[in-house]
Amino acid sequence: MLKFGAPWALLVVSIGWICWQNVQINELQASRHKRELNSNWLPGSNDDDNTIFMPIYAQVSKKHIRKVCMEHFHTFKHYHREVEKKVIDPLPKVPASVKELKRKCSAEVSFGQPVLIGERKNPDGCAYLDGGHWHVCEMSHGYTMLSFKGNRRLNSSETRAVQFLPYPFDGTDNMVYNNTMYYSEHDRLIAYNLKTEKSNSIHLRTSLDPLYANSTSRLDVQAEEHGIWVLYRRRDENILSVSRLNAHNMQIVSNWTLPSIDTSTMCNSFVRCAILYSVECDGTVTPVYDFYSHTYIQGRKTVWEGLSQPIGNVQYDPNSRAIAVYANAKIYKVPVLQ
Ligand SMILES: *[C@@H]1O[C@H](CO)[C@@H](O)[C@H](O)[C@H]1NC(C)=O
Ligand SMILES: *[C@@H]1O[C@H](CO)[C@@H](O)[C@H](O)[C@H]1NC(C)=O
Ligand SMILES: *[C@@H]1O[C@H](CO)[C@@H](O)[C@H](O)[C@H]1NC(C)=O
Ligand SMILES: *[C@@H]1O[C@H](CO)[C@@H](O)[C@H](O)[C@H]1NC(C)=O
């Protein structure tokens, strides 16, 4: 009896424990949704007042765990009626606009391995992907950007256009999104439409120290499904600030301060689907913060193998759903796997 009973009992205890965790997660989510409802989506706030660490699997397969719990609770019906009731409670109502934003992208993705697309001469440079187009710079400071149509033309260096910018760019962590280049110039973030040649800007008093290891960038501008994000440290401050901008008028929509994230030891980072990913100098990519729920997360790591060192820029492109990497004169593309 003991011989066959013990593993069975262990299974029951394990399932019970997982389900108890699931109830905890549901409670966390309920309070998180309540916060969202009280404060619109993505409000500016100091998130460290209410930091929540979520267990890893909560980020990965909530639905699956709920399903497992439901199935097993049916076989132990006498067991905690109340818990079961909580488990099958529908999720709190979410405003339609939030649903719309969430529908556009799923946080539950994995990243492929970097594919070498082309090579440049200068170890210091940048490469951005905007739909089917590449935009490349040859230095970490300058006025010109080279444009290439497609991977093959970048590989064979058949330049489609040379763009002259109205102000010089600083650093390598700039961005081209929907044919507009968003870039750092002293204390400004400039938006320059490469087609209409119209520009707009916003003043950001950023720290003079580089944001990342092995970098000259004072800020990192990223585009993703919800708009434009700027990662930087404010002047004379040592902590990471993040601002989300409206891409059309360059107004700040929300601000965050994330003191638990130290960018000075990482080589880069990027934002995708309202999740901040850190990129270590050895190519390890980790989801570290969820802007949607205002929580630090400890998600599944991906190791990008074979990247040249040091890493100069890592930018996600929502149009082609791929990540552009410039590392020591080599240009890579990393697919996002749904
Ligand atoms: C073109 O791409 C191939 C990989 O497909 C790579 O081996 C080669 O070095 C690239 N050529 C240049 C000039 O970057
Ligand atoms: C960028 O272009 C894509 C595709 O045309 C469009 O869906 C998206 O709304 C545009 N983004 C912005 C901020 O205009
Ligand atoms: C974000 O921070 C900037 C700089 O401190 C400030 O000017 C702006 O009003 C803030 N915006 C919001 C929406 O909190
Ligand atoms: C990049 O920065 C890391 C951390 O500061 C350092 O260990 C490494 O040597 C640097 N690599 C290069 C190629 O500069």
Side-chain angles (χ1 to χ4, degrees):
M1 182 60 207
L2 190 70
K3 199 170 155 200
F4 296 104
W8 179 235
L10 198 64
L11 180 68
V12 171
V13 169
S14 310
I15 290 168
W17 187 79
I18 288 172
C19 294
W20 180 79
Q21 287 262 299
N22 187 46
V23 170
Q24 299 293 306
I25 291 163
N26 283 339
E27 279 170 4
L28 285 176
Q29 282 190 326
S31 70
R32 167 223 273 190
H33 279 283
K34 220 179 285 157
R35 255 187 298 148
E36 278 160 13
L37 291 179
N38 291 342
S39 54
N40 294 326
W41 190 63
L42 298 180
S45 66
N46 187 333
D47 286 293
D48 288 272
D49 299 343
N50 38 31
T51 298
I52 302 171
F53 282 89
M54 302 281 274
I56 293 169
Y57 63 74
Q59 302 300 326
V60 183
S61 57
K62 260 177 331 218
K63 261 191 218 141
H64 184 68
I65 284 172
R66 184 173 304 130
K67 189 162 152 270
V68 169
C69 289
M70 289 301 293
E71 280 166 9
H72 286 85
F73 270 113
H74 278 299
T75 61
F76 303 114
K77 275 226 176 84
H78 62 284
Y79 198 94
H80 296 171
R81 218 163 246 275
E82 221 186 67
V83 175
E84 189 174 350
K85 214 174 82 214
K86 271 188 189 167
V87 170
I88 59 173
D89 263 353
L91 282 173
K93 297 255 181 318
V94 181
S97 60
V98 173
K99 264 193 207 148
E100 179 61 29
L101 284 165
K102 281 238 102 173
R103 203 155 48 83
K104 275 197 194 164
C105 60
S106 161
E108 292 168 23
V109 295
S110 53
F111 300 112
Q113 285 298 318
V115 176
L116 180 67
I117 303 292
E119 204 164 336
R120 310 301 302 168
K121 290 196 182 66
N122 199 336
D124 219 7
C126 67
Y128 314 129
L129 197 51
D130 180 23
H133 291 83
W134 284 95
H135 300 273
V136 172
C137 68
E138 307 273 41
M139 309 261 201
S140 55
H141 182 90
Y143 279 96
T144 50
M145 294 292 294
L146 306 176
S147 300
F148 301 88
K149 194 176 175 197
N151 299 342
R152 197 184 53 76
R153 291 206 172 92
L154 172 62
N155 188 280
S156 57
S157 246
E158 292 169 57
T159 312
R160 187 183 68 116
V162 181
Q163 313 276 2
F164 295 96
L165 304 172
Y167 314 95
F169 64 84
D170 293 327
T172 54
D173 287 285
N174 302 306
M175 178 77 209
V176 179
Y177 176 55
N178 283 3
N179 225 9
T180 295
M181 178 155 172
Y182 297 86
Y183 66 97
S184 164
E185 189 252 347
H186 294 291
D187 278 346
R188 290 196 299 169
L189 177 73
I190 310 223
Y192 175 66
N193 189 313
L194 299 175
K195 202 167 169 190
T196 64
E197 302 186 357
K198 286 207 175 91
S199 67
N200 196 352
S201 70
I202 180 173
H203 193 86
L204 288 173
R205 223 168 149 264
T206 54
S207 167
L208 302 176
D209 297 328
L211 183 60
Y212 303 119
N214 307 325
S215 172
T216 54
S217 305
R218 281 164 59 179
L219 61 78
D220 186 350
V221 55
Q222 296 279 338
E224 52 81 272
E225 291 78 0
H226 307 106
I228 304 297
W229 301 73
V230 194
L231 304 119
Y232 59 104
R233 293 193 213 96
R234 297 188 198 279
R235 183 80 46 87
D236 307 320
E237 280 188 15
N238 216 3
I239 54 175
L240 178 63
S241 290
V242 181
S243 299
R244 185 166 74 95
L245 268 60
N246 178 325
H248 302 290
N249 61 16
M250 295 290 277
Q251 294 300 303
I252 294 181
V253 181
S254 3
N255 293 315
W256 286 260
T257 51
L258 307 179
S260 299
I261 293 173
D262 180 10
T263 54
S264 67
T265 60
M266 44 178 99
C267 263
N268 227 278
S269 64
F270 63 94
V271 182
R272 188 199 161 275
C273 200
I275 299 216
L276 176 65
Y277 293 84
S278 69
V279 182
E280 308 295 334
C281 295
D282 66 0
T284 305
V285 180
T286 315
V288 290
Y289 192 80
D290 181 347
F291 292 107
Y292 181 79
S293 63
H294 307 269
T295 46
Y296 288 100
I297 53 178
Q298 299 161 324
R300 188 156 41 104
K301 290 181 193 297
T302 305
V303 181
W304 285 342
E305 312 278 357
L307 279 184
S308 200
Q309 304 278 345
I311 296 171
N313 79 257
V314 179
Q315 319 293 117
Y316 171 65
D317 172 32
N319 287 330
S320 60
R321 293 163 171 274
I323 296 162
V325 179
Y326 192 100
N328 191 30
K330 294 203 166 58
I331 297 171
Y332 303 88
K333 183 171 169 177
V334 181
V336 175
L337 312 170
Q338 297 290 341

